[in-house]
Amino acid sequence: MADLTTLQGLRRSPLHDMAAELRGGPVPGERAVRLLEWPYLTMVSLRVEPGSDTARRIEGVLGTGLPERCGDVTGEGAHSVLWLGPDEWLVVSQTAPESLVASLRSATVDGRAQVVDISANRTVIEVSGRAARAVLDKGCPADLHPRAFADNTAITTSLARVPVLLWKIDAHTFRVMPRASLAQYVAAWLLDAALEFASPLPAGQAPAAEGA
Amino acid sequence: MLQIECPWCGLRDETEYHYGGQAHVAYPEDPSALSDEEWAEYLFFRDNPKGPFAERWVHSGGCRKWFNAVRDTRTYEFLAVYTSNDPRPDISSLASADTAGATA
């Protein structure tokens, strides 16, 4: 039987077959758009009663509080915790899934909670550049204006009619997290949606000001 | 686009939600004791008022939680949104407030 290292060498990310297109697809210029896949990030689904003893032990393991409101993201460094629902969170982490799940489960042994490794559920497509928000606005029903969608905010919404998690890092950087089986569709849609921003603006027209 | 207020996520487009029918229809305490007619009444018969109506909605495109809403079936206006832990709003006072608002 193949060991884990062999298997990890064989695995392919959801956008493996589109790597060349993503590399060749970026739109340069004043309204630049870049696409980048972050494959194999550790993601753990976490369900627990907020404010309970178990929740506090979990917060101790993660080294950060669980976000309390829709959109909130907590955590610096290795783990980020995204709000998915009033009793449901997604931990996105750079540590190995086995060790993270084991340490979270050890915090929940005598409490009621659910900790599941769902790293293979989604992939992460980073959309960055001056026109990143304009590209997403073409297919996302949520209000992405900075007054409604602040930096380091993540919401569950849809993009091109497909359910995604949308995580805003800063004004020009967004992480789109579609299910793995829909990742190629979302990436193809993003490549197509970004195409129009390659054309130069008409003479005398400045790029849209930040926040407009 | 109609926007609906989710108790947890705030205002979102109607396309993120699904409808769950009349709210506060309690499961019978002893289903096996019901006659066929009473069981059919529980399963299939629902109110159909013209005016405020307490309904269940689910935010399937967001936090995936169920909640209750009072919606005016004439205008599609949402008069109240509340979770199953919140006290039930008084539908008749919502109705009169709505009428007052309409005439003001």
Side-chain angles (χ1 to χ4, degrees):
Chain A
M1 194 177 138
D3 62 19
L4 200 61
T5 327
T6 316
L7 289 174
Q8 286 188 340
L10 290 170
R11 68 180 176 171
R12 294 286 176 266
S13 75
L15 294 179
H16 174 82
D17 292 338
M18 291 180 75
E21 285 156 279
L22 291 181
R23 258 199 314 276
V27 176
E30 52 198 343
R31 295 183 292 172
V33 182
R34 288 176 299 277
L35 298 177
L36 174 71
E37 185 192 15
W38 289 93
Y40 313 130
L41 280 182
T42 292
M43 296 187 208
V44 175
S45 164
L46 181 62
R47 299 200 65 172
V48 64
E49 174 89 34
S52 64
D53 289 343
T54 315
R56 271 191 283 276
R57 283 198 298 274
I58 287 172
E59 288 173 340
V61 170
L62 293 172
T64 178
L66 298 172
E68 292 172 6
R69 284 176 302 127
C70 176
D72 284 358
V73 177
T74 58
E76 304 267 331
H79 314 300
S80 292
V81 189
L82 280 59
W83 187 98
L84 295 187
D87 58 359
E88 185 174 11
W89 294 268
L90 182 73
V91 183
V92 182
S93 173
Q94 289 165 10
T95 56
E98 299 81 14
S99 62
L100 180 60
V101 166
S103 55
L104 283 171
R105 289 221 171 115
S106 69
T108 63
V109 276
D110 48 356
R112 283 194 303 176
Q114 175 186 292
V115 175
V116 183
D117 175 14
I118 54 164
S119 305
N121 188 23
R122 297 173 188 272
T123 190
V124 179
I125 310 171
E126 188 168 279
V127 187
S128 58
R130 291 199 71 83
R133 191 185 118 208
V135 169
L136 297 172
D137 265 337
K138 290 168 73 174
C140 180
D143 187 356
L144 304 184
H145 191 281
R147 79 175 156 241
F149 196 43
D151 290 358
N152 202 29
T153 297
I155 55 170
T156 316
T157 181
S158 62
L159 182 68
R161 300 173 297 284
V162 167
V164 295
L165 270 168
L166 184 59
W167 183 1
K168 181 182 183 184
I169 306 301
D170 59 42
H172 303 304
T173 314
F174 296 83
R175 287 182 193 155
V176 178
M177 298 154 80
R179 301 258 151 78
S181 55
L182 296 164
Q184 290 203 355
Y185 164 75
V186 172
W189 185 91
L190 283 167
L191 283 167
D192 178 62
L195 208 56
E196 66 169 287
F197 297 96
S199 61
L201 283 169
Q205 190 179 329
E210 180 47 42
Chain B
M1 170 76 71
L2 177 74
Q3 291 198 311
I4 299 174
E5 176 104 20
C6 167
W8 295 280
C9 305
L11 274 182
R12 295 290 185 87
D13 283 2
E14 181 192 3
T15 48
E16 292 193 0
Y17 295 87
H18 282 106
Y19 182 65
Q22 183 177 356
H24 313 303
V25 178
Y27 189 74
E29 287 205 0
D30 186 5
S32 57
L34 298 187
S35 68
D36 284 354
E37 193 180 340
E38 287 167 329
W39 181 244
E41 182 93 14
Y42 161 72
L43 275 189
F44 304 117
F45 285 66
R46 295 291 181 266
D47 296 342
N48 185 22
K50 183 178 176 184
F53 185 38
E55 304 168 326
R56 302 181 76 222
W57 284 82
V58 62
H59 191 191
S60 40
C63 60
R64 302 183 298 162
K65 291 289 175 192
W66 286 91
F67 61 93
N68 299 320
V70 178
R71 179 180 63 98
D72 193 316
T73 56
R74 296 165 301 178
T75 62
Y76 222 91
E77 185 186 0
F78 279 74
L79 303 172
V81 170
Y82 56 104
T83 71
S84 52
N85 292 329
D86 295 335
R88 244 191 252 191
D90 180 6
I91 290 188
S92 59
S93 72
L94 284 172
S96 57
D98 181 45
T99 315
T103 52

